[in-house]
Amino acid sequence: MRTEEEKYREKLEALQNKRRNRFRILVCIDGSDEGYLGLKYAARMGGQRPDCDIILLYVRPIDQGLHSGGLQVRIARENMLSWGLELPGIRRLKTGLELLVGDEELKKEWEVETTNTIVDGDPLGDNKIEYRHSSGRTVVLKLKVAPDAASGILDQYELGPYNLIITGSAKQGRGRLRATLTPSVSEKVAYHAPCSVLLVRNLVPGKGHLVCIDGSDFSTQIVLQEAELAARFPDPKVSAICVSPDAEGMSKAEKIVVEASHMLKRELNFELKETYVEVGDPVEKIIEVGKNYSAIVLGDSGKGTMNRILGGGVSTDVLRLAYNSVMIMR
Amino acid sequence: MGLNSLSPKLLSQRIGVYGSVQQVARVSKTLKIYYFWEKRWFFIAMAVGFGLLQLPLSDDLSREALIVLTMSVVATILFITEPIPLPTVALMIIIGQVLLLGLDSTNVAKSLMTDSVLFIMGSLMLAVAVVKQKLDKRIAWLIVRVTGTKTSNICFGISAVSGFLASFIGEHTVAAMMLPVGITLITLTSDDPKKVRNLAAVLLFSISYGCSVAGIGTPSGGARNAIMIGYWKEFFYNPTDPETLKYLIDYVDWMIFAYPMFLIQIPVVTIILLATFKPEYRNLSRAIVKLRAEVDMQGSLKPGDWVAILIFVLVLTGWITSSGTIGMGTVAIFGAVGFLVAGLVKWEDINSGVNWGVILLYAAAISLGVQMKDTGAAQWVAEHFLNLLSPFGADEGLGLWAAVSTLTTFVTNTMSNGAAVAVLGPIVLNLATVANESPIVIGYITAISSAFAYLTVVGTPACTIVYASGYLKTTDFLKVGWKMCIMSIIVMMLGAYFYWPLLGT
């Protein structure tokens, strides 16, 4: 006799296997401009392709009755609905949908399916509207209830999986201690998500990605993964940078860049747009060169909480200090 | 199922197709740290509690007082940081009273239910019933008929009417009722939230701050007022001493003290809001026309509406005339029963609309407050607090009032205002006794100051509810909240200094 947990696991695995060949992007919407910029970027990243699923996620915190004096906030929400008003989450998700698909097109060419999932502790639960195009691509609006936004986004990964999570980014220039001890939603997602995460900050599309390499096997994988990702854009532009901490390492850094360039040509027939070899502090150099690109791409430094406080990590430091968007690859 | 609850093996199975084994192991290890990090304040609170219990006892601090003090400190940390569901704190207080203080569990259970708690329960049930009557559109129409279409007048009208209603039926009720009114006026003016950013702030804050400043007006304006009335009675009233009759504060007594302060603040709220957020539209005629069309569709008042109004008026009359004899809680419960018997609200709606854990929380906090007084813990804290204030000349008179008001304003901005009064009440009332000040004046200052939680979304119920509209940012509360805090403290201090002495305090 199979337990409920086993049944759930089998169902989830079947769903995940079905989704293995699809390119799934989870875009977190919170009403900010960064969220919508990220969504437009997701659309550029192959949103029109049949193998692409874009999932728009809005996370609403579970009602805390004490803050509303013991009267559940749902009473106010129900009152809003009775006036014919849309709840903020739905309103923001619909704004996102309008950015992806026009009204007329949506009516004519897309099938709609609505699902409600019961959530412990919240009477309204999770709500999902799935729009399926005849070509195969889908757009999903997901209104999720969770204790906090970061938990909601990370929980949502379980129902995925996703190739990429896109979320707005915290303010540039947060201190290392602050970012580690009181991480923002985007920082929590960047640290803990099992897949790649794009943190949107001053995102200007069309300027390409700058991928950071250090000659390790992991960075080689990152370059390959980034080239595959870039190929989804209408005008793929990827540049690479390798920073040596001192002048002695310069020749080695040059060799790493050349090898990466050859490897991309050989494996994927992909040309790097520019290559940079710099000497100095890796974080500073990457940020300086990276500001001319749409996003800086780095591999996850894989450091735990204590290590982040003590020594940081190139990826987490770039994430905090960069002027523009940063993608943490996994 | 939460990510934290997944075993590493299960997590590995779920995402194994995409990540390497090392990656999964690292993520699951991080998640365990993440769990402890998320709950860090719970463990810190427990460690602080353990440390406090090891403090040496003195002549003026008994073992029981130290235990109660420790429980209060731990509960306060948990109230503010919320690492665990808040009703759990209430359950921990109950367990602590039995296991640490050695009290009889039946006596602890009895101490949980007082008229204040009955009032909180009844008024929450009433709140759901009142919101369900859908009288909000008519109220909105009434406002705009009087104010016209000018934005500033509408804001004043919304503040005044929200305030008037909230002063009797609680700010959460009115905020829930009026929220759609505000949003309708915003959306009918423009579909693009960016074009009506300031207008939205002015209209929604008119509702929330109108309600917040009104909550001080009557005992039924908020749980905090009922809690303070309960403390006065519990701490100072002695049936055998006629001198202590003054500590039985009834509905009208409270209104005479506090209602004028609400009335003075209402126009100032509108001025502050209009000066802080300059609305993009000075006239809302387009929205008003559409609103009128919606109200017209409702037709005239139905018999059910009249019955609801009648029950509401009866409850109000009961509070004003009989709360001294049968208790405010009984009157509130009577109102809830009236709505249920008349079939104007379903029990299921009340059951799902009221957060019963909150009632449990208030009950436990009040019970702990009484223990603070009985064990002498409150007096110990009061004496030491007073010693701290004396170098600044704030250990008596106006200085002490300002100190109590500032302390309450600070605490209430970090937790619910009812919880703030429940925690601070026993301390400040003892403070008044030690400093030879009137416990009534200090009590009013505490209860009124607990409404000055304008700085955060979670400060007052009305702020939390209007924030759910999605039109406001947390920074908006800071932007205007500090001005509101200063204004309210000044009005209260002036009232306490010039007006209350006229009432014989």
Side-chain angles (χ1 to χ4, degrees), chain A residues 36-310:
Chain A
Y36 294 125
L37 278 174
L39 179 61
K40 286 180 188 168
Y41 207 63
R44 272 176 62 83
M45 205 182 290
Q48 304 298 321
R49 295 186 182 202
D51 70 337
C52 189
D53 298 336
I54 295 182
I55 294 87
L56 282 74
L57 176 70
Y58 179 90
V59 182
R60 178 171 68 73
I62 290 177
D63 288 347
Q64 268 278 14
L66 185 78
H67 298 152
S68 47
L71 184 74
Q72 301 283 29
V73 178
R74 67 179 289 243
I75 295 290
R77 290 206 183 92
E78 284 171 3
N79 206 24
M80 279 169 68
L81 289 171
S82 75
W83 275 63
L85 297 165
E86 283 177 338
L87 298 177
I90 296 174
R91 200 167 61 226
R92 286 165 180 170
L93 288 173
K94 281 190 174 173
T95 306
L97 180 67
E98 283 164 16
L99 291 175
L100 292 178
V101 191
D103 251 3
E104 285 301 309
E105 189 195 336
L106 200 65
K107 282 176 196 159
K108 284 181 192 164
E109 299 171 32
W110 294 71
E111 281 178 28
V112 189
E113 189 188 336
T114 307
T115 323
N116 177 265
T117 314
I118 295 166
V119 173
D120 290 345
D122 195 281
L124 294 180
D126 289 351
N127 292 283
K128 184 174 98 169
I129 307 174
E130 186 167 353
Y131 296 90
R132 271 193 299 274
H133 192 258
S134 49
S135 67
R137 73 186 174 114
T138 61
V139 175
V140 178
L141 308 186
K142 180 84 186 254
L143 182 63
K144 193 174 178 68
V145 177
D148 61 83
S151 311
I153 297 166
L154 292 170
D155 267 3
Q156 183 62 27
Y157 180 85
E158 284 184 66
L159 303 171
Y162 299 92
N163 298 74
L164 181 65
I165 295 176
I166 300 180
T167 174
S169 176
K171 254 187 185 173
Q172 182 245 347
R174 278 160 58 87
R176 179 184 294 163
L177 196 67
R178 194 175 163 208
T180 311
L181 295 183
T182 56
S184 65
V185 172
S186 60
E187 282 162 345
K188 279 184 186 172
V189 173
Y191 297 156
H192 301 298
C195 66
S196 302
V197 180
L198 171 65
L199 294 110
V200 178
R201 186 185 288 157
N202 305 322
L203 181 58
V204 181
K207 293 169 79 176
H209 289 178
L210 176 71
V211 61
C212 309
I213 52 176
D214 60 6
S216 65
D217 290 346
F218 182 51
S219 96
T220 310
Q221 282 175 30
I222 294 300
V223 176
L224 282 169
Q225 206 177 326
E226 164 57 20
E228 283 171 5
L229 189 74
R232 300 190 66 86
F233 284 93
D235 51 346
K237 279 182 270 187
V238 177
S239 301
I241 182 170
C242 183
V243 185
S244 166
D246 45 46
E248 287 86 63
M250 187 77 172
S251 57
K252 191 184 169 195
E254 278 170 357
K255 199 177 156 199
I256 289 169
V257 170
V258 171
E259 277 178 6
S261 180
H262 287 164
M263 186 264 299
L264 277 180
K265 183 78 185 159
R266 188 175 62 244
E267 300 278 333
L268 301 172
N269 194 26
F270 189 91
E271 292 270 2
L272 285 174
K273 187 167 176 276
E274 303 270 356
T275 56
Y276 301 90
V277 178
E278 300 283 337
V279 177
D281 178 56
V283 175
E284 282 176 19
K285 292 291 171 189
I286 290 169
I287 290 171
E288 193 185 316
V289 177
K291 66 184 174 191
N292 301 317
Y293 289 84
S294 296
I296 300 169
V297 181
L298 302 109
D300 176 23
S301 63
K303 296 207 171 186
T305 307
M306 279 315 290
N307 286 331
R308 278 196 200 103
I309 298 169
L310 298 173

Side-chain angles (χ1 to χ4, degrees), chain B residues 140 238 285 346 373 417:
Chain B
N238 179 357
S285 50
K346 292 182 202 155
K373 177 242 174 191
N417 44 29

